[in-house]
Amino acid sequence: YEATVLGSTKPKNVDISVIDPENGPLMLIGVRSQMSSVGKNVLTYYEGIVGECLSLQDRFPMATHGYIYLHPRTSIKAGKERETIDHPRYAQMYAAVTGREGAAYKSLRGIFDEFAYMVVDFEQDPPQLHDEIVRRAVQDRDMSINTFIERLIAKFNARTLFWDVFV
């Protein structure tokens, strides 16, 4: 089940969460797949996820915030097979709102702690993940789903040295 948490302006449904009954959200993760009309709608969705991040960080600045985003490698919508998807550009956009770090992390808003951007080829059986597309576009940040949870937990543990939640 999605958890409903109060953001700064309204309740938000969070896809994945770790919530301590006494201290509130420890980790909040959003998940989105955008399977069609990627070029047409990606900026609107980008604005929405950054706004959601702002709202949740206003209310829960010490929580670790992550996001998982999935795009198809090529357009899968009938009649739109020739539509190109600019994965390198999108990887760079998502990297630009990732990396809430340092001693002042609690005052940063609209920047995710960690982000996973998945480019998946659904023409393969089974579908094939293409991390190399993201790695070529963003060489200084790990955005792989394969290390996403470990990166979030490491960030949480580094910030809460005396609280053994994810040991």
Side-chain angles (χ1 to χ4, degrees):
Y1 300 106
E2 292 180 338
T4 301
V5 298
L6 183 60
S8 62
T9 58
K10 67 176 192 164
K12 303 278 184 183
N13 290 335
V14 180
D15 298 300
I16 303 167
S17 59
V18 176
I19 301 175
D20 182 86
E22 295 178 9
N23 297 292
L26 305 178
M27 190 173 291
L28 300 170
I29 302 170
V31 179
R32 174 179 287 280
S33 64
Q34 187 181 354
M35 302 304 284
S36 63
S37 302
V38 175
K40 180 179 176 183
N41 295 319
V42 73
L43 294 177
T44 302
Y45 292 142
Y46 181 78
E47 182 179 50
I49 66 171
V50 170
E52 182 176 311
C53 183
L54 281 162
S55 176
L56 293 171
Q57 286 172 341
D58 278 348
R59 188 94 163 112
F60 308 106
M62 291 182 65
T64 306
H65 298 266
Y67 212 88
I68 302 168
Y69 211 110
L70 181 144
H71 280 153
R73 183 169 182 253
T74 57
S75 179
I76 61 172
K77 187 174 183 180
K80 299 283 186 176
E81 293 85 2
R82 297 179 64 93
E83 178 184 46
T84 59
I85 301 173
D86 194 351
H87 296 295
R89 176 180 179 218
Y90 304 146
Q92 291 169 358
M93 286 171 36
Y94 302 136
V97 293
T98 306
R100 193 172 69 130
E101 298 167 350
Y105 78 93
K106 290 181 280 192
S107 64
L108 295 175
R109 301 289 188 272
I111 304 292
F112 292 96
D113 294 296
E114 293 294 338
F115 203 103
Y117 179 40
M118 300 181 349
V119 177
V120 177
D121 185 348
F122 290 98
E123 294 177 4
Q124 301 293 314
D125 187 19
Q128 188 77 32
L129 178 66
H130 284 275
D131 274 343
E132 76 281 357
I133 294 171
V134 178
R135 273 195 306 270
R136 278 195 305 266
V138 180
Q139 297 175 6
D140 61 340
R141 180 167 304 283
D142 182 358
M143 296 179 70
S144 174
I145 189 66
N146 294 317
T147 58
F148 177 73
I149 296 298
E150 290 81 7
R151 294 191 324 263
L152 273 175
I153 290 172
K155 193 156 283 185
F156 177 88
N157 286 335
R159 291 177 180 165
T160 55
L161 295 173
F162 302 106
W163 200 15
D164 299 331
V165 174
F166 296 110
V167 177

